[in-house]
Amino acid sequence: MRFQSTRLRRLFSNPSQHQRERALPTPLVVALVIALNIWAQDSIVDVLKNLVTGLSQQWIRLGQRWRVPSKSSISEARQRVGPQVMSRLFHRLARPLATPETPGAFLGGLRLMAVDGSVFDLPDTQENARVFGYPGSRRGTRAAFPKARLVFLVEAGTHLFCDALISPYRRHERVQVRRLLRSLTPGMLLMWDRGLHSFRMVHETLATGAHYLGRVPANVKFEVVKPLEDGSYLSWIAPDRKSRNQGIGRIQVRVIEYTIETDGEAQTYRLITDLLDIERFPALLLAQHYHDRWEAENTLDEWKTHLNGRKVPVRSKTPRLVI
């Protein structure tokens, strides 16, 4: 395992961060935080040993008398570096990487993207509970672990996280996920599930220049304004009260309805999109590719279950280190 990226060295080469010689200089701590997810089931001291063994001497100089620091020293070093450095690294490097040759990455020239959300357990400490909170439970009981909420933007064809946001459990994912729209660009097609549907989600996605294909809940009704030859129809989505007060009007949508039979039971799906060209994007094609949205859930399963493998995915006992 080698960390020889020129970009990483340049990103964390600020002398003010580690002017004096440290047993745990900033670049090593950054690599350690990443490595904690690679050797997820090892102790933090063992992870550091594994990491140093694999590091190139050209990447970081530790000196001949370097000794493995104690667990408390490692924790202090992580506190010193803080979450801002890791956030900078993530936002510098996390981006779509699929090419037109990547299977399942594009539809009609549009890059397929998906948003989703999840929660995960944190170590049960007073600090984590105070910041992130517990989920609801029956009166007189309490959940076993505090939980953090994660919303994320994934490139469907590569399973790459292109943006993510962690927040306390009480923050609703429908609100948090809209903050990820900052990473959309023209030429993308964003897909979301019915739990994330809202007028503002549609409006703010269009404002980025991207397109959307989202599922809507059963209680949302649409008037058939104009039937189309492929079985879909044109309609309108009305603004919520806050948007209406801001002078935002209704938005034209194309509605696609279809039924899938699973285990002998029929389930109806309703999708809305701004893609109005039925020759380039017929209803059947969009219905088939909407289910690529599940690649976001597969990505989450890969991280939580197969790559991490810990009962509690995050080992940190303080909110700063959790982030």
Side-chain angles (χ1 to χ4, degrees), residues 126-247:
Q126 290 184 353
E127 293 89 345
N128 284 344
R130 176 176 53 83
V131 172
F132 293 101
Y134 293 100
S137 60
R138 292 179 300 175
R139 181 176 297 181
T141 65
R142 193 191 71 184
F145 298 100
K147 289 185 182 291
R149 187 175 300 282
L150 176 73
V151 291
F152 51 93
L153 174 68
V154 168
E155 185 181 40
T158 60
H159 290 198
L160 287 174
F161 277 66
C162 298
D163 203 348
L165 180 67
I166 185 174
S167 64
Y169 177 82
R170 63 181 176 274
R171 302 277 180 86
H172 198 286
E173 68 179 11
R174 183 186 297 179
V175 176
Q176 295 296 91
V177 78
R178 297 207 314 267
R179 296 177 62 182
L180 303 182
L181 302 181
R182 62 195 176 190
S183 295
L184 294 182
T185 59
M188 290 181 173
L189 175 60
L190 180 65
M191 300 176 288
W192 63 74
D193 198 12
R194 56 187 172 183
L196 301 178
H197 168 77
S198 69
F199 174 85
R200 296 188 71 87
M201 186 73 172
V202 171
H203 179 261
E204 292 174 18
T205 298
L206 293 175
T208 69
H211 301 277
Y212 68 88
L213 179 65
R215 188 180 176 190
V216 296
N219 64 327
V220 178
K221 307 300 181 183
F222 292 99
E223 176 188 1
V224 180
V225 175
K226 180 182 178 181
L228 301 176
E229 294 179 0
D230 65 347
S232 61
Y233 60 89
L234 299 182
S235 188
W236 301 93
I237 180 173
D240 56 77
R241 180 180 301 178
K242 183 177 180 180
S243 299
R244 189 165 53 249
N245 291 340
Q246 294 174 344

Side-chain angles (χ1 to χ4, degrees), residues 154 268 290:
V154 168
T268 299
Y290 170 74

